[in-house]
Amino acid sequence: MPSFWRAVCSRCSPGRGSGAAGRPAGLASPGRRLAGCVAVAFLAAGLLIGGTAGRARAVGPLAALVRAERTVEAVVVLTDDPKVSRPPAGATGTGAGGPGGAAATATVRARLEAVTGPDRRVRAAVPVLLVGRAGYLAAYLPGQRLGVRATLAPPGPGETIAAVLFARAPPHSQGRPPLAQRAAGWLRARLRTAASVVAQPAGGLLPAMVVGDTSKLDPELKDDFRVAGLSHLTAVSGANAAIATGAVLVVLGRTRLGSRARAFAAAAALVSFVILARPSASVVRAAAMGLVGLAALAAGRPRAVVAALATAVMAVIVLDPTFALSAGFALSVLATAGMVVWGPGWCDGFERRLAARRPRPSRRLLAGATRIAQAVAVAAAAQLACTPVLAWLGGGISLVAIPANVIAAPAVAPATLLGLLTMAVATLHPPAAELFARLAGLPCRWLVLVAGRAADLPGAAIGWPSGPLGAAAALAGVVLALALARRPPTRRLLAAVIAGLLVARLFLVPRLAGWPPAGWRLVACDVGQGDGLVLRAGAGSAVVVDVGPDPELMAACLADLGVRRVPLLVLSHLHADHAAGLSGVLGRLPVGEMIVSPLPEPTEQWAEVEHGARAAGVTVRSVLSGSAGASGTVGDVRWQVIGPQRVLRGTASDPNNASLVLLAEVGGVTMLLSGDAEPPEQRQVARAGAVTVDVLKVAHHGSADQIPEFLTGTGARAALISVGVGNTYGHPAAATLASLRAAGIIIGRTDLHGAVAVVRQPSGRVALVARRPGRM
């Protein structure tokens, strides 16, 4: 997209070269610096306003109902499209979703208007999250008013919503969505249908790029784009809005319309695009900035880019202070600021150095090299500006983001424009639209190829501490890099240091750092005779299932894995070998919430769990298969409770047979985590439907009490047995080991191998990596 880079690298004020007062090209004027300072000041004010607004929602009658987790009759207005979270692959049978399929959950942002509780009616205008079965919610559009019977629950830490509503029954609609939303929904459906002729994953990427419809986006592709630093392409961003509006301006430029008429027409197109693509953070920022820029165009001052950005930031956070707490909005603003403040100067510097080379390159070679230099400068400016916030959020820092963005850039505009053309043609002649969809699929395939190759490179991303410390370290690194890059001697030193660090990261670090292995999805910690499982939810984040008998062993395992927060903690049941190590997590790491077995026995261990959770301020929920909250998504982890469906009594061990049996998917690897379920519960779960997974956590430490459907009927390629050295229970049983080996399943045992990690190889196959090498 060379024209885009040239546009970004053009001066933000008329003329190029030296400024009016002899200022070197590329340096920000005092006015620009003042505008930037004003924008930052207003952004800080918005943060304060947003934080205050968030705290204000936590008081009053509504907060009392939320804290009591009351079931109420609520009236809500949807503000976004429902997002369907499919159950992990391999879930079939009945379950909560009804006969013929496992439960799929839908979540949707909404505005609460009123709730009617047991003894009061509360009116409110606050944002909430509505959660329910996909069959309840998936068909509704933004703007739809619904009446729904739902259970209130507190929001998670850092959320800008007032409550979570779990729908207990199908909602009933009150009227119809606005006409504009119905039209947008119809257009999105037409594009989705046309794009279905393009093979996945490019077919799912096309509607995601054009209108933000991620319903068909492949999860593994999304992960590749994240590692490659191309996440902004998996959904609508400001660049898409700029491309769409720019295309309208180009067409109108060939007419005799004046600047004001063109600005009004482009503004109408921009507003329509926002409705069509939904108001995500980056789209809202781009729309606000675009409207300000179009107003400047109508007024005859089209080049005040920094002023437009500052005004857009101020307008957005004043109208909706919650955007001040939006990471997406911050990233969008910072990327734009980096491109317009640093990009022009860096472009000029590249061009001057290219032009000064001897022998002087030919005009054609110089033009090509200049375009590449412009692309690198703009991509580097955007990436550097976003680095502190990306570090704060976690997920590591991509080392391939700049080259990947440069290589991907030429395909972005064709994919967007051809996608919009596909949608337009689909409104008139759907069969003809399929031809345009196939054409749009070509640049999408290029983006898929770039993301996949970049993500597969060794050392594509490096781990980085998240939170304020990580952000401060990243900011210090950015400032230092910019300071060193200002002068030729230090610039060469900086280049040598960066090259040395890259070589060390690619070749030396992988040889020295043996644990945890790159790309790990699940680790069975070595906690002795017990279970302690860690599912990677993101950089520094994990879902923990059981905590073993020893808190120190559990804490050491989490520290080795670099886990700094636990959004979800699961106790399959309350026997000491699964729950006594709770203090190794609670009180040491931030924990979002905890779900436990529906059977609170043994009672003394349940009392310990309640006490520890209360002291740590963590909500504890008991769940059954199919109950509300028995499935969800935490970062890269999708999970679903598939057992028990009811609490069994009179078995050889009721707590064992009340174990939470989880079906989970982490980064494309499916797994069955079966706690200590014995044959009575195993048969209960098996009757609900067959389960196919990549990895099996063998129930009850590999005891002999297994049914074939659970042990060898899942199609698992690898099995984990969490068991203590020299235990007196005879675990794992010889018969269990023989059955697994006869089925060709690789076995990882914590008594022989120490902690065992499940990794996904570049080929897609699942492998086990032992902390203590030994034959598997």
Side-chain angles (χ1 to χ4, degrees):
M1 196 167 49
S3 59
F4 173 72
W5 302 121
R6 286 198 298 273
V8 172
C9 288
S10 63
R11 284 286 143 292
C12 295
S13 56
R16 297 196 59 161
S18 298
R23 184 177 64 255
L27 294 183
S29 68
R32 286 192 205 167
R33 289 196 295 269
L34 177 61
C37 292
V38 171
V40 172
F42 271 87
L43 184 58
L47 286 169
L48 294 176
I49 295 170
T52 302
R55 288 192 295 271
R57 298 190 189 105
V59 298
L62 177 62
L65 292 173
V66 172
R67 286 193 296 270
E69 299 190 7
R70 293 294 184 89
T71 298
V72 298
E73 299 291 337
V75 177
V76 300
V77 178
L78 305 190
T79 57
D80 198 359
D81 288 292
K83 304 292 190 298
V84 176
S85 175
R86 299 291 176 189
T92 59
T94 55
T105 302
T107 60
V108 59
R109 294 270 176 171
R111 183 180 69 254
L112 181 66
E113 293 194 338
V115 295
T116 303
D119 55 357
R120 70 179 74 182
R121 178 176 174 83
V122 179
R123 291 191 175 275
V126 293
V128 296
L129 183 69
L130 181 61
V131 181
R133 295 184 183 182
Y136 291 174
L137 302 173
Y140 290 112
L141 294 171
Q144 176 68 62
R145 177 178 278 101
L146 298 175
V148 60
R149 181 171 179 78
T151 300
L152 297 168
E159 290 281 353
T160 57
I161 56 175
V164 180
L165 280 69
F166 291 98
R168 295 303 186 188
H172 52 276
S173 58
Q174 299 181 358
R176 302 176 69 189
L179 177 60
Q181 294 293 355
R182 298 203 301 273
W186 181 73
L187 288 171
R188 289 163 67 94
R190 286 296 179 107
L191 174 61
R192 188 166 54 247
T193 301
S196 64
V197 302
V198 181
Q200 285 283 33
L205 178 62
L206 178 59
M209 285 188 63
V210 177
V211 295
D213 184 350
T214 60
S215 59
K216 302 297 183 181
L217 187 63
D218 183 76
E220 294 184 27
L221 177 65
K222 188 174 182 179
D223 190 57
D224 285 346
F225 272 70
R226 179 186 60 79
V227 174
L230 298 171
S231 291
H232 57 95
L233 299 180
T234 59
V236 172
S237 66
N240 302 76
I243 291 168
T245 310
V248 172
L249 285 173
V250 168
V251 172
L252 294 177
R254 299 182 180 274
T255 67
R256 295 183 178 181
L257 293 175
S259 60
R260 290 188 179 181
R262 293 200 307 271
F264 281 121
L270 180 58
V271 172
S272 300
F273 183 81
V274 172
I275 295 173
L276 182 65
R278 310 310 191 209
S280 65
S282 57
V283 173
V284 167
R285 190 274 311 156
M289 185 176 173
L291 290 174
V292 173
L294 291 170
L297 174 64
R301 297 185 59 195
R303 292 182 176 271
V305 180
V306 177
L309 176 61
T311 305
V313 171
M314 289 187 280
V316 169
I317 61 177
V318 168
L319 292 175
D320 188 351
T322 59
F323 273 108
L325 302 179
S326 166
F329 184 72
L331 289 170
S332 181
V333 171
L334 288 171
T336 305
M339 287 189 291
V340 300
V341 174
W342 291 332
W346 293 359
C347 289
D348 282 347
F350 277 127
E351 289 180 36
R352 286 196 302 271
R353 290 182 185 86
L354 287 170
R357 292 185 65 87
R358 294 291 183 269
R360 185 178 177 83
S362 66
R363 181 176 298 179
R364 180 174 296 180
L365 181 61
L366 180 61
T370 299
R371 291 191 183 98
I372 295 174
Q374 289 172 345
V376 172
V378 173
Q383 189 68 24
L384 280 177
C386 293
T387 294
V389 174
L390 291 172
W392 184 302
L393 298 175
I397 294 178
S398 175
L399 298 180
V400 298
I402 294 174
N405 274 278
V406 171
I407 297 171
V412 176
T416 302
L417 293 175
L418 286 170
L420 290 171
L421 187 59
T422 299
M423 185 172 60
V425 174
T427 63
L428 304 173
H429 195 270
E434 294 181 359
L435 174 61
F436 289 95
R438 294 183 190 279
L439 292 175
L442 297 177
C444 287
R445 287 193 182 95
W446 173 251
L447 295 172
V448 170
L449 178 65
V450 171
R453 293 292 186 268
D456 287 341
L457 289 174
I462 60 172
W464 195 269
S466 59
L469 180 62
L475 179 60
V478 169
V479 171
L480 179 62
L482 291 174
L484 292 175
R486 290 179 64 86
R487 294 176 176 81
T490 54
R491 190 182 302 129
R492 287 190 287 268
L493 173 63
L494 177 64
V497 170
I498 292 176
L501 291 176
L502 286 174
V503 170
R505 175 65 181 88
L506 292 174
F507 302 106
L508 183 60
V509 172
R511 295 177 180 273
L512 299 178
W515 192 263
W520 68 275
R521 266 52 171 182
L522 165 69
V523 168
C525 297
D526 184 6
V527 292
Q529 180 65 15
D531 274 11
L533 307 174
V534 183
L535 287 68
R536 190 180 189 277
S541 176
V543 172
V544 174
V545 179
D546 291 330
V547 290
D550 188 329
E552 297 306 321
L553 291 177
M554 193 67 213
C557 181
L558 293 172
D560 287 345
L561 297 173
V563 174
R564 295 181 295 277
R565 58 188 179 277
V566 179
L568 177 65
L569 175 60
V570 181
L571 296 182
S572 65
H573 63 295
L574 299 178
H575 278 159
D577 58 337
H578 292 251
L582 188 60
S583 61
V585 184
L586 283 182
R588 303 195 193 203
L589 298 174
V591 175
E593 69 168 336
M594 181 161 49
I595 64 172
V596 300
S597 164
L599 182 63
E601 296 178 6
T603 54
E604 61 275 11
Q605 191 64 55
W606 171 239
E608 290 292 330
V609 169
E610 281 192 307
H611 175 74
R614 191 163 47 248
V618 176
T619 302
V620 182
R621 293 188 293 116
S622 300
V623 299
L624 277 168
S625 170
S627 64
S631 64
T633 301
V634 179
D636 296 337
V637 179
R638 288 193 296 163
W639 60 274
Q640 179 189 8
V641 176
I642 61 172
Q645 296 177 352
R646 61 184 177 85
V647 175
L648 300 174
R649 292 289 188 175
T651 66
S653 174
D654 290 347
N656 281 354
N657 285 305
S659 290
L660 295 181
V661 177
L662 267 68
L663 190 64
E665 181 177 344
V666 186
V669 177
T670 54
M671 51 197 73
L672 179 64
L673 312 179
S674 49
D676 277 358
E678 295 180 349
E681 184 184 3
Q682 293 179 20
R683 283 190 287 269
Q684 183 193 65
V685 175
R687 281 195 295 269
V691 172
T692 302
V693 294
D694 299 315
V695 180
L696 167 69
K697 202 292 294 186
V698 180
H700 203 184
H701 319 293
S703 75
D705 295 327
Q706 313 284 337
I707 66 172
E709 292 89 338
F710 250 55
L711 190 62
T712 57
T714 63
R717 304 170 187 171
L720 298 174
I721 302 178
S722 187
V723 62
V725 177
N727 67 85
T728 58
Y729 304 98
H731 297 161
T736 298
L737 296 174
S739 297
L740 292 170
R741 292 191 182 108
I745 299 174
I746 302 171
I747 305 171
R749 297 170 49 175
T750 58
D751 59 338
L752 299 181
H753 309 119
V756 180
V758 175
V759 301
R760 187 171 184 268
Q761 298 173 322
S763 63
R765 295 186 62 84
V766 169
L768 300 182
V769 178
R771 181 71 185 272
R772 187 167 64 241
R775 184 176 179 181
M776 288 190 180

